[in-house]
Amino acid sequence: MRILFILADLKHTGGITQYNLKLIEAFRSLGSEVILVERKSGGFLAKAAFAATFFFRMMRRRPGAIVCTNLNFSPLALRAKSLFGIPYALTVYG
């Protein structure tokens, strides 16, 4: 299965990043193709580039599912579900 991950920048070293890396590793070990869309730090232009990259990769790669790793990114996943019927999962921490 092809899975698109929406996540924050993986260059950080915190616990959430480590959790996301282990989750990605687990999906890959099960034979899934993982597509990453990372939200880089920055202002409005970085956010716009993130959203554009998400929709570009989603349209081009046609994932079977989306994993959203941040509540703030969930509107993108919800939009993909409503427009294209792609199921998504939201991970929450804390």
Side-chain angles (χ1 to χ4, degrees):
M1 173 182 265
R2 188 174 292 143
I3 301 171
L4 188 134
F5 267 76
I6 312 171
L7 58 158
D9 194 349
L10 288 174
K11 290 187 171 101
H12 295 98
T13 58
I16 292 173
T17 301
Q18 294 304 312
Y19 174 85
N20 289 335
L21 288 170
K22 293 289 185 186
L23 188 59
I24 291 166
E25 183 181 314
F27 277 112
R28 285 182 175 154
S29 72
L30 294 171
S32 294
E33 178 187 345
V34 176
I35 306 157
L36 302 178
V37 179
E38 296 179 61
R39 165 66 166 96
K40 305 292 184 182
S41 58
F44 175 77
L45 290 178
K47 288 179 186 178
F50 171 68
T53 300
F54 167 75
F55 281 106
F56 176 76
R57 289 194 182 152
M58 186 194 58
M59 296 291 292
R60 185 167 169 89
R61 304 300 297 274
R62 297 291 184 184
I66 297 170
V67 175
C68 183
T69 64
N70 188 309
L71 183 62
N72 294 326
F73 306 156
S74 62
L76 291 175
L78 180 61
R79 178 63 67 184
K81 179 174 176 30
S82 66
L83 291 175
F84 305 104
I86 301 171
Y88 72 95
L90 173 64
T91 60
V92 217
Y93 319 92

